[in-house]
Amino acid sequence: MRKKLLLGNWKMNKLASEAKEFAIASKPLVALAKSNKIELGVAPTYMSLATVRKYSAKAMIVAAQNVHFEEKGAFTGEVSIPMLKEFKINWVILGHSERRTYDNETSEKCNAKMKALIANDMIPVYCCGETLAQFEAGETKAVVKEQIEKGFEGISEEQAKKCVVAYEPIWSIGTGKNASTEIAQDVCKYIRKVLKGVVGKAASKIRILYGGSVKPENIKAYLSCPDVDGALVGGASLKIDSYEGLLKNIL
Ligand code: PEP
């Protein structure tokens, strides 16, 4: 049984003071989620990770939005896995489309990060998804297949179990043009099939999230799809009322 997961991606938003306010306010929500066997999390900027970890409930998942695969060294501007671990940050989003677009984050690079995270007993949330042009050209499945195969290359069945995948059609991120539940289910089911080819039986344990203009009003429909195990939410995760709405609508 795959536990439902609701993860907010704050992108480059919120000062640490604002993140602290959210973290404190989220405490009762985490308790409510826990009693309904749902996992809740947020991915703040590096600057707010320690604050959110400190002021939120223990069961709140606090994820970084990126990490470097090397432990230390001459990588100006980067943050390493030990630096995250020092602050008890054990989850990391990898390969978000914004990082793939603006920061040259490739599936190969994500694979190195996946391996480094797994070696450190941490959990990657590996994002995949197609552009509008690829969607319109009917290339969605070919694109996600390549991203999944490259991202999970060399990862064993045992190691893959705890990994999380997020399917985020790029044309639906921050646009209000969310994919239909039929598309979300069809692609997530296909991703599970591709995962089976790469990591075998672990595919049935890996949680696959849908992301792209998820709101309190539409989240329930996505989470009713058999292969959608949760949501990665940008805009609608920023305000505590809306975050609460996301949770309450899937209880
Ligand atoms: C995201 O940033 O991963 C995302 C899905 O954003 P939004 O919910 O705003 O579309």
Side-chain angles (χ1 to χ4, degrees):
M1 181 68 178
R2 298 184 298 265
K3 225 179 197 182
K4 298 284 183 210
L5 169 61
L6 171 57
L7 184 61
N9 173 19
W10 287 353
K11 314 191 188 204
M12 198 174 70
N13 290 295
K14 285 194 191 294
L15 302 175
S17 53
E18 295 164 334
K20 177 180 171 183
E21 227 175 84
F22 185 110
I24 294 167
S26 71
K27 280 189 162 186
L29 300 182
V30 179
L32 179 64
K34 206 175 167 194
S35 63
N36 284 278
K37 298 192 167 37
I38 296 169
E39 284 192 314
L40 270 194
V42 286
T45 67
Y46 285 137
M47 299 304 290
S48 299
L49 283 171
T51 303
V52 175
R53 183 63 290 162
K54 182 173 172 188
Y55 290 98
S56 59
K58 207 171 164 209
M60 178 71 130
I61 292 166
V62 184
Q65 298 173 17
N66 181 35
V67 76
H68 198 279
F69 51 84
E70 293 287 356
E71 264 189 31
K72 60 180 175 182
F75 301 102
T76 302
E78 296 287 347
V79 167
S80 73
I81 287 174
M83 290 168 191
L84 294 181
K85 287 191 88 170
E86 188 179 21
F87 287 96
K88 299 193 166 37
I89 305 302
N90 297 312
W91 287 60
V92 180
I93 296 175
L94 294 180
H96 190 280
S97 62
E98 286 149 19
R99 293 200 52 80
R100 287 183 190 262
T101 304
Y102 307 126
D103 298 282
N104 195 29
E105 183 92 334
T106 61
S107 297
E108 289 81 358
K109 226 189 244 182
C110 290
N111 180 250
K113 296 179 183 193
M114 295 269 281
K115 288 175 176 161
L117 287 169
I118 290 166
N120 281 280
D121 212 15
M122 291 168 73
I123 301 180
V125 179
Y126 179 62
C127 302
C128 62
E130 80 287 5
T131 62
L132 181 59
Q134 290 164 336
F135 172 71
E136 287 175 345
E139 293 167 1
T140 300
K141 289 183 178 170
V143 170
V144 297
K145 182 174 192 285
E146 188 183 340
Q147 290 171 331
I148 294 290
E149 286 178 346
K150 285 187 174 164
F152 278 83
E153 196 191 306
I155 292 171
S156 72
E157 193 173 318
E158 192 52 37
Q159 291 171 327
K161 277 182 194 162
K162 284 191 191 160
C163 297
V164 175
V165 168
Y167 167 56
E168 300 204 306
I170 298 170
W171 47 272
S172 75
I173 297 178
T175 58
K177 262 196 346 190
N178 47 309
S180 67
T181 49
E182 288 75 20
I183 293 174
Q185 165 56 24
D186 185 44
V187 181
C188 289
K189 185 178 172 189
Y190 178 73
I191 288 171
R192 204 175 298 287
K193 185 176 152 198
V194 175
L195 282 168
K196 196 167 177 215
V198 188
V199 294
K201 284 189 194 140
S204 64
K205 300 232 160 49
I206 294 175
R207 287 182 285 182
I208 304 176
L209 316 180
Y210 167 75
S213 297
V214 174
K215 306 266 179 288
E217 309 85 65
N218 61 25
I219 190 166
K220 194 175 174 161
Y222 289 113
L223 269 70
S224 307
C225 301
D227 283 288
V228 178
D229 305 309
L232 181 56
V233 187
S237 73
L238 287 170
K239 294 221 167 77
I240 193 73
D241 290 354
S242 167
Y243 191 74
E244 180 174 359
L246 290 165
L247 171 65
K248 292 206 165 152
N249 288 349
I250 55 168
L251 292 179

